[in-house]
Amino acid sequence: MLSRIDHVGIAVRDLDEAIRTYERRLGLRSTGRERLEHEGIEVAMIPIGESRIELISPLRPDSTVEKFLRDRGEAVHHVAYATDDVAASLEHAGTAGAQLLDEAPRAGAHGTRIGFVHPKSVCGVLTEFVEADGQPGA
Ligand code: CO
């Protein structure tokens, strides 16, 4: 059901500075940037092979990413797995005893459908399911 790592989310304080860091130090290239007002975050996508790095910065003090940065500093925030059916992946995880942060799929960045599983249920890692759009570099 899960086919590959779609992206690794990294919480950053300053999105412009983080993009420069990844472009200059790792030689990667950011291709897309999007403000998700309802989530209180801005994200930048950096394609790498069939996966991506998702840099995430908070837009508001009440954003969960702001709280994450305050507690942990800049760090890996979540791992996202591509699936052909977010609802089925959530149901599978929930049935297997995982605590779901989303009971049903919701809208993610760049037109995707996503759902999250609580980090306590997956070895301390916030886990995201992303409905595969067939465009890993998008
Ligand atoms: Co993500």
Side-chain angles (χ1 to χ4, degrees):
M1 201 158 22
L2 304 182
S3 53
R4 60 183 170 83
I5 292 180
D6 183 86
H7 64 269
V8 174
I10 298 173
V12 302
R13 185 46 77 189
D14 181 322
L15 195 57
D16 291 306
E17 192 184 315
I19 290 168
R20 278 197 298 276
T21 296
Y22 275 77
E23 291 191 338
R24 287 183 188 163
R25 296 188 178 162
L26 301 188
L28 300 172
R29 175 74 41 198
S30 169
T31 55
R33 196 168 163 151
E34 189 172 351
R35 286 171 74 91
L36 299 174
E37 300 289 347
H38 58 290
E39 310 258 4
I41 59 172
E42 184 170 14
V43 302
M45 284 299 188
I46 300 175
I48 171 77
E50 62 172 12
S51 300
R52 291 169 284 188
I53 295 294
E54 178 185 62
L55 302 175
I56 316 159
S57 64
L59 292 172
R60 298 193 300 265
D62 66 340
S63 140
T64 57
V65 174
E66 173 63 36
K67 287 174 198 131
F68 179 93
L69 284 167
R70 246 181 280 141
D71 293 345
R72 312 254 302 259
E74 293 189 319
V76 171
H77 180 264
H78 64 273
V79 173
Y81 299 87
T83 173
D84 53 7
D85 188 336
V86 172
S89 294
L90 285 170
E91 190 185 338
H92 178 89
T95 301
Q99 183 186 334
L100 305 181
L101 295 174
D102 296 298
E103 293 294 333
R106 60 188 170 87
H110 309 293
T112 55
R113 277 153 51 86
I114 62 171
F116 280 94
V117 180
H118 197 285
K120 281 182 183 157
S121 299
V122 196
C123 306
V125 179
L126 177 60
T127 296
E128 177 180 2
F129 299 132
V130 184
E131 207 150 297
D133 55 9
Q135 298 177 307

